[in-house]
Structures are given as C-alpha cells and as structure tokens.
C-alpha cells in the first residue's frame, strides 16, 4: 500500500521532471528539473529495496553534481542554442528531417522487436512468487561485496576519483599568460 | 503496478529523453545534463534487474559505480566547460573544433 | 529491519487496543501514528527554531552587556511570535526581473532539506520517527538540499549581493561537507553501523563511554565535525554568504516576509539538527547516565538528556558567533581544504588502526580493564 504510493509518486516525479528537462528552454530550470528527476529515481531505488544506492544517489547528485551544473550554467551565461527552425513535433531542425526520423523509427522498431524476443524468456519466467516486500538491510552485504568480489573495481574507482579531482583542478585553474 | 516492466518503461523514457537532450541541445552543459539522464537510466535498469531477476546485490554495486563515474565525469566535464568558456567565450558545441588553440 | 516509532509502540499492551479498534485498516493506523509524530516533531522543532532567534538575541545581549528583548511576554520570551506575526503580515515583494519559479522554490527547498532530516534524529530510544539503517548517511545527504536552496535563492533574486552570497554559500556548503562526512565516517567505523539506534546504542550514558572519549582520533573528529557543521549551517565565524558588512544580507537580500522567515527558520533548525547529531554521535545521545533500560516512562528522561546536550551545544554555537570575527573567503577555503580535510582523513585512518590494534576497546576500557 505505502510502497505502491511511493512508487507512483516517484514514477510521476521522474517522468514529469524528465519531460520538463526536455521541453524547458531555460537551462537553469532544466537543471532544477534534473534535480527532481534524480530525486524521483532515488525514490524508485527505495521502492526496489536499494536503500544504500538511493541515499548515495541523493548524496552525490544533490550535494555535488547538480550544484556543479548550476555553477557551470551561471558562470557561462546559460544561453541555450536551440535553433528556431523546427520540424516534426516541434523538435528542433538540428535533429534531422523526415527521412532521418523515419529511418530512426524503423531502426527503433527493429531494435525493440529484437530486444523483446531476447528478453521475453526472462520476463515471462520471472520468479514473481519469491518477491517479498520486507527489505533487509543491504548495507553490510554491499560492504562485503565491495571488499571481496568487486575489490578491483573499487580500487580502480578510487584511482578514477583521484584522477578526476586532480584533473578538474588542473583544467579549471586560471592561467595568467594567455 | 510495481513490476519489472514499469521500471523498464521509466528507464526507457529517461534514456530516450537523455538522448534527445544530447542531440537537440547545442549547449555543452545541456549535453552533460543529457549524459546524467542516460547514466541514471542505466543504473535504474541494473537495480531493477537485480531485484526482479537475479536476486543478488551485484546490480546495486554496478549502480554505485555508475554514480561514482557520473560524479567524476561531471567534475571533469564542467571543468572543461569552464576552461572552454574562458578561451572561446561561448559554450556552443559547434565551436569546439580544435584540439589546441 | 528498520525500527520505527510504530514498531516501538507495538511492543506495549495498549497498542493492541488500537489495533483492535482499527481492525483491517492497519496501514491507516500506522499512517496516523506517523502523522501525529511528524506533526509533533515539526511543531516542536519550529518552536525551537523560533526560540533560537530569541536565545541568539538574549545571549548576544548578555555577551555585549545589554538587556536584549524584554517587552513581549515574560522576559521577552514571546518575541519570536511577535516577529513571526510581523513576517506573515508583511508585504511579499519580489524583484521585477527575478526568476519567478526559482524565487518561489528556493526557500521551500531549504525548509524541506532541513525538516526531512528530523525524520531520523534520535530524540529518545522510541521517540524517533524511523531508525533507518542508513540513518546518518541519509541525514547528511538530504541536508545538502539546503545548498541547492541557498544557491537558487542567490541566483533567482537577480541581484549582485544575492548572487555573490549564493555562490559563496553553495561552494562553502559543498566544500565543508567533505570533512564533516569523513568525521562522521570515523564514528560509523567505531559504532559498526550507520543507523542512529546502533550508534547511540553502542555508547553509554557516562562520559567515559562516549565516542568523544573513545580514542584520541574520535576526540579530534568531534572538533572537526563541529567546525565543519558551523560552516555548513552558515554560522559565524563562517557566515560569509550573509556577511552584513559586505553583502547586505547575502542570498536572502531580496526576500521579504515569510519567505525570508523560511530561510531564517531553516537556518536555526539546521543548527539544532547539527547540534543534535553531534550529541548523538559523540556525546552519548539519549543514554541516561548509569542506566541502560528502555521502558516507556523513561522516554521522557531520555528526551531530557538528549535535549540538554543538544541545547548546550546550541549555546556554544551562539557563543562562538558573538566571540570570533568573520573569516575571509580565501581563509575559509584554505581551512577546509588544507587543514580540516587532511585532519579528518588522518582521523579516519587512525580510528581504523585503533579498532584493529585495540580490538575496539576505548581508552577507559584499556586503562581500567573493562569488558
């Protein structure tokens, strides 16, 4: 009951904000709607029983990525370069004409059918009966997985983060000579 | 209501919107925004599959790493954006045609 | 499994009466209990936030040898209600070229970010909305919404003071989040869990059982946390985002009436929340000294213990504000990145080594040969 409500609210927030990101012309507003989308996705994680992932999502995106994006938009003026000319469905002309849309649709349909064919086995034979709604804590199990099975990826990601930290500082530092 | 399919549909919408944002916008920050949407779609898929199909936590680990990579990508990407703006005084993606000034 | 206020009450007999009363609508009963507790906690914390403004003025007056507010009510105690009424009836002005949507959104984001943290704040053993197993992590994460609110408030006002204040606020909040989070991580390591129930439960009531005096690294971590928390809540000496002498009043320069009130209320409640977290993490939380029982009548005593510690820290925060001069921006950033962050990482490593070397014993255990 409560879980259903949380799912509907999160899904609605995610979808509405995602569409708003797409259609808003003001880039600052787009970033704020992106924040809504990310919170909605965190809610969806919560309905999936992924408590640690949900909180990490909020922590990283809300505390870091979105504020960085808002900073970047503000420091660079936030001008949006969507061209005035528009084609089908009000989409901008930079995206292509009716031939490219038609081709894209065809590829999409073929791709979708292939995927449905591939995934139909998995989707029809889901162990739906085993799914229960009392979520055990994932934190300790995730910790064990991170330092046992996935320790290489864990270490590589720490190196990646260090590289990103140093790289971002080097790239963005002010240079006097030019 | 709550089934694998509904999560996949939400993830699909996120992915497609991210792709359209990446293609339709010409602002570099907006393109990074689209990338964030796509990464989120992928992470949501991983978690949904790990709950409904495999029933272990490997999907959670994957989505954690996706979040880490997204954070690193945003930091470096936005640093590049700021630097690019300092040099070119615009962040139109079509202006980015040279590897060195 | 997460312990909640409902599952806590369900241990006692009178709960069966309620269960029978509601019959099939068990989720409605849970919802009602949550609603009552949420209203109780939010109302209480809003009052504390209001009284915080009174305390601030009264203590500053005391430090500066003045009298302070003394007209409204006994000892001027109802001054905050008068201020609140004044704010509500004031005209709501919006700058002409402001970004409307973001201007409306910013104070609400601040308030939501602060009030959402109250869901996991451990007032007493059972008087905690939900004891999430990622409790402290959730608290740190959701309170970063305040940073977005501050930034958007500064941007949307379309004023130079606000813009500078918002930029300073956001950069300060995301910078100081790092030492604060790493200090908290050290305590998580000592407690062996991120839920507030685990963290408070693994401490005792007496000072030598607190995590503050568990080992030297935790002792340093407390001060790193406290300095970082002062900066995160934009309190003096780190109140650069609203520095009166440079930026008029920073990111909320253009806000009037109750929208300004939201920002102010969010700030005062956030100070209360970070003091409560400090009390829960380092100062033994709601543990009654020398008594390890969890009965329903003792909840009031536990609540009193927790509030005493928290409000003592609140006094220290106000005391600091009226004692130290404000920092410069470059000093602020160098304190965070050159001093606090390395110290906090050193603390984390030190705590990890201590846990391995002494098998998780505290200093008092080692000296007096405890358990």
């Amino acid at each position: 009951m409560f879980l259903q409500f949380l799912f509907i609210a999160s899904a609605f927030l995610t979808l509405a904000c995602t569409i708003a990101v797409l259609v808003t012309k003001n880039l600052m507003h787009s970033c704020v709607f992106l924040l809504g989308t990310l919170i909605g996705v965190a809610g969806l994680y919560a309905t999936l029983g992924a408590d640690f992932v949900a909180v990490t999502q909020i922590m990283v995106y809300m505390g870091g990525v979105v504020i960085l994006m808002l900073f970047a938009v503000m420091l660079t003026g936030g001008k949006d370069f969507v061209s005035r000319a528009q084609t089908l469905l009000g989409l901008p002309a930079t995206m292509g004409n009716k031939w490219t849309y038609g081709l894209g649709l065809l590829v999409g349909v073929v791709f979708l059918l292939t995927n449905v064919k591939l995934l139909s086995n998995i989707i029809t034979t889901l162990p739906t009966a085993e799914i229960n709604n009392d979520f055990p804590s994932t934190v300790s199990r995730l910790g064990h997985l991170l330092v046992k099975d996935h320790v290489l990826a864990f270490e590589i990601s720490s190196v990646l983060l260090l590289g990103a930290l140093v790289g971002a500082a080097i790239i963005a530092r002010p240079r006097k000579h030019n | 209501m709550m089934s694998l399919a509904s999560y996949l549909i939400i993830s699909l919408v996120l992915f497609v919107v991210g792709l359209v944002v990446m293609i339709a916008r010409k602002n570099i920050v907006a393109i990074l925004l689209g990338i964030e949407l796509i990464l989120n779609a992928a992470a949501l898929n991983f978690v949904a599959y790990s709950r409904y199909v495999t029933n272990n936590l490997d999907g959670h680990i994957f989505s954690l790493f996706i979040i880490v990579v997204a954070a690193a990508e945003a930091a470096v990407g936005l640093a590049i954006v700021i630097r690019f703006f300092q040099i070119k005084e615009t962040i139109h993606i079509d202006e980015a045609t040279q590897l060195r000034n | 499994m997460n312990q909640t206020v409902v599952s806590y009450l369900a241990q006692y007999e009178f709960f069966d009466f309620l269960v029978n009363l509601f019959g099939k609508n068990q989720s409605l009963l849970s919802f009602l209990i949550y609603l009552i507790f949420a209203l109780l906690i939010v109302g209480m914390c809003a009052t504390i936030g209001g009284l915080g403004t009174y305390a601030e003025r009264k203590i500053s007056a005391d430090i500066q040898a003045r009298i302070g507010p003394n007209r409204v009510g006994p000892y001027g105690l109802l001054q905050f209600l008068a201020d609140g009424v004044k704010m509500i009836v004031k005209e709501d002005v919006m700058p002409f070229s402001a970004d409307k949507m973001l201007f409306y959104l910013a104070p609400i984001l601040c308030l939501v970010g602060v009030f959402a943290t109250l869901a996991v704040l451990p007032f007493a053993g059972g008087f905690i909305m939900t004891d999430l197993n990622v409790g402290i992590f959730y608290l740190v994460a959701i309170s970063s919404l305040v940073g977005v609110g501050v930034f958007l408030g500064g941007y949307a006002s379309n004023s130079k003071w606000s813009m500078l204040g918002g930029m300073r606020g956001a950069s300060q909040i995301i910078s100081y989040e790092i030492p604060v989070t790493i200090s908290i991580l050290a305590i998580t390591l000592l407690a062996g869990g991120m839920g507030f129930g685990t963290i408070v439960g693994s401490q005792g009531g007496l000072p030598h059982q607190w995590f503050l005096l568990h080992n030297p690294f935790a002792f340093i971590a407390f001060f790193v946390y406290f300095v970082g928390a002062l900066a995160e809540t934009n309190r003096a000496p780190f109140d650069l985002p609203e520095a009166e002498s440079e930026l008029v009043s920073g990111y909320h320069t253009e806000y009037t009436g109750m929208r300004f009130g939201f920002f102010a209320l969010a700030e005062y409640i956030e100070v209360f929340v970070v003091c409560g977290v400090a009390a829960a993490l380092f100062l033994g939380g709601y543990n009654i000294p020398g008594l390890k029982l969890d009965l329903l009548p003792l909840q009031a005593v536990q609540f009193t213990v927790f509030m005493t510690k928290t409000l003592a820290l609140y006094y220290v925060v106000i005391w600091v504000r009226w004692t130290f001069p404000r920092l410069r921006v470059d000093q602020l950033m160098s304190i965070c990145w050159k001093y606090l962050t390395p110290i906090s990482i050193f603390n984390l490593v030190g705590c990890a080594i201590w846990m391995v070397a002494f098998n998780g014993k505290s200093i008092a255990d080692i000296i007096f040969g405890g358990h």
Side-chain angles (χ1 to χ4, degrees), chain B residues 23-56:
Chain B
I23 297 171
R25 296 282 181 98
K26 290 292 175 188
N27 189 321
I28 301 180
V29 181
I31 291 170
L32 286 173
L33 208 138
I35 293 174
E36 296 297 334
L37 284 177
I38 290 177
L39 287 172
N40 261 278
L44 184 59
N45 252 4
F46 272 117
V47 177
Y49 275 118
S50 87
R51 171 148 166 75
Y52 284 100
V53 179
T54 62
N55 247 334
N56 60 21

Side-chain angles (χ1 to χ4, degrees), chain C residues 49-332:
Chain C
L51 282 174
T53 62
Y54 169 75
E56 174 112 48
R57 296 169 70 173
K58 206 69 180 169
I59 292 167
S60 72
D62 197 34
I63 288 172
Q64 296 167 347
R66 294 184 285 117
I67 294 175
N70 63 347
R71 293 303 163 97
V72 191
Y75 305 104
L77 206 56
L78 299 178
Q79 183 67 43
F80 76 95
L81 283 180
D83 286 346
V85 170
K86 186 194 77 174
M87 276 177 191
I88 290 171
V89 299
K90 253 188 174 177
E91 185 192 358
D92 187 18
V93 184
M94 192 166 78
F96 176 68
S97 53
D99 191 328
K100 272 205 186 59
M101 186 189 99
L102 301 183
F103 194 81
Y104 288 140
L105 191 66
I108 296 170
L109 278 183
C110 269
L111 209 59
V112 167
V114 173
F115 275 126
T117 58
L118 296 175
V120 293
L121 202 61
F123 292 99
F127 190 59
I128 167 173
M129 278 283 284
T130 166
D131 185 11
L132 277 182
N133 48 30
V134 286
I136 182 68
F137 193 32
Y138 163 83
L139 192 142
V140 172
I142 204 85
S143 64
S144 58
L145 202 56
V146 177
V148 182
V150 166
F151 184 86
L152 287 181
Y155 171 81
S157 303
N158 202 6
S159 145
K160 290 183 181 61
W161 315 121
S162 301
M163 184 82 93
L164 281 173
M167 281 180 71
R168 281 185 184 181
S171 57
Q172 177 177 328
I173 288 172
I174 57 176
S175 304
Y176 275 86
E177 220 166 57
I178 295 164
V180 166
T181 312
I182 296 177
S183 305
I184 290 173
L185 207 56
I187 297 305
T188 314
L189 204 61
L190 297 180
M194 289 195 283
F196 273 108
T198 318
I199 291 173
V200 179
S202 52
Q203 303 177 62
L206 294 170
H208 68 274
Q209 295 163 326
W210 295 351
F211 278 147
L212 176 68
L213 302 175
H214 186 277
N215 62 43
F217 303 106
F219 189 73
I220 303 171
F222 172 71
F223 292 97
V224 173
Y225 171 81
F226 200 69
V227 172
L230 281 180
E232 263 202 275
T233 51
N234 300 332
R235 295 288 300 186
F238 306 105
D239 61 344
L240 288 157
E242 41 196 289
E244 297 90 352
S245 50
E246 313 158 30
L247 297 180
V248 187
S249 103
Y251 56 88
H252 50 62
T253 305
E254 304 291 343
Y255 282 87
T256 55
M258 209 50 213
R259 293 186 200 289
F260 167 74
F262 282 169
F263 274 122
L265 194 63
E267 184 187 324
Y268 280 98
I269 299 173
E270 200 187 2
V271 174
F272 174 75
V273 169
V274 296
C275 290
V277 171
L281 289 184
F282 296 96
L283 303 181
Y286 51 71
N287 283 314
I288 305 164
L291 199 62
K292 200 79 177 173
L293 284 169
D294 200 20
L295 298 169
L296 199 56
L298 283 178
Q299 293 293 309
V301 185
Q302 288 188 341
F303 181 72
T304 316
V305 170
F306 178 77
M307 287 307 255
T308 311
K309 288 169 183 170
T310 307
L311 295 180
L313 286 174
Y314 205 127
Y315 179 79
V316 174
V317 170
I318 295 174
W319 185 14
V320 164
R321 169 165 181 180
W322 297 100
T323 310
F324 291 113
R326 186 180 295 134
L327 274 74
R328 287 200 318 264
V329 178
D330 58 324
Q331 290 172 335
L332 181 88

Side-chain angles (χ1 to χ4, degrees), chain A residues 3-4 7-8 11 14-15 18-19 21-22 24 27 30-31 34 37-38 41 44-45 47-50 52-53 56-57 60-61 65 68-69 72-73 75-76 78-82 91-92 94-95 119 122 126-127 130-133 135 138 141-142 145-146 150 153-154 157 160-161 164 168 171-173 175 178, chain B residues 1-10 12-14 17-18 20-21 23-30 32-33 36-37 39-40 43-44 47-49 51-53 55-58 60-76 78-83 85-87 90-93 101:
Chain A
L3 213 57
Q4 296 266 328
F7 174 75
I8 292 168
T14 310
L15 293 180
T18 312
I19 303 300
V21 168
L22 181 61
T24 316
L27 203 51
S30 280
C31 281
L34 177 73
T37 304
L38 299 170
V41 173
L44 290 176
Y45 287 150
T47 61
L48 287 166
F52 189 76
V53 180
T56 312
Q57 163 102 358
V60 172
Y61 279 108
V65 172
L68 276 183
M69 286 197 158
V73 172
L75 293 176
T76 56
K79 214 185 289 173
D80 195 10
F81 306 103
V82 174
L91 286 168
T94 47
M95 285 188 66
L119 291 178
I122 301 172
L126 278 183
E130 294 170 22
I131 304 262
N132 55 347
N133 277 340
F135 299 121
T138 62
R141 285 190 292 154
L142 273 181
L145 277 178
L146 273 178
H150 301 274
F154 186 68
S157 71
L160 171 78
L161 281 178
I171 291 169
R173 80 178 192 278
R175 279 169 227 189
N178 51 4
Chain B
M1 174 59 79
M2 284 176 63
S3 63
L4 180 59
S6 50
Y7 287 101
L8 292 188
I9 289 169
I10 293 170
L12 179 76
V13 172
L14 277 174
V17 168
V20 172
V21 167
I23 297 171
R25 296 282 181 98
K26 290 292 175 188
N27 189 321
I28 301 180
V29 181
L32 286 173
L33 208 138
E36 296 297 334
L37 284 177
L39 287 172
N40 261 278
L44 184 59
V47 177
Y49 275 118
R51 171 148 166 75
Y52 284 100
V53 179
N55 247 334
N56 60 21
L57 290 181
D58 286 344
H60 292 203
I61 303 272
F62 259 104
S63 61
L64 281 177
F65 285 126
I66 288 173
I67 290 172
V68 167
V69 170
E73 170 259 319
V76 176
L78 294 171
I80 292 173
V81 170
I82 303 277
R83 188 84 193 109
F85 185 75
Q86 285 174 0
I87 296 171
T90 177
I91 47 170
H92 197 292
I93 188 73
N101 50 339

Side-chain angles (χ1 to χ4, degrees), chain A residues 115-159:
Chain A
N115 268 329
V116 167
K117 178 71 182 156
L118 286 176
L119 291 178
S120 57
N121 260 339
I122 301 172
I123 291 176
T124 47
T125 59
L126 278 183
T128 43
E130 294 170 22
I131 304 262
N132 55 347
N133 277 340
D134 57 329
F135 299 121
S137 170
T138 62
V139 180
S140 58
R141 285 190 292 154
L142 273 181
H144 281 118
L145 277 178
L146 273 178
V147 294
K148 280 180 185 161
D149 293 4
H150 301 274
V151 67
L152 183 63
F154 186 68
E155 295 297 331
I156 289 174
S157 71
S158 70
V159 175

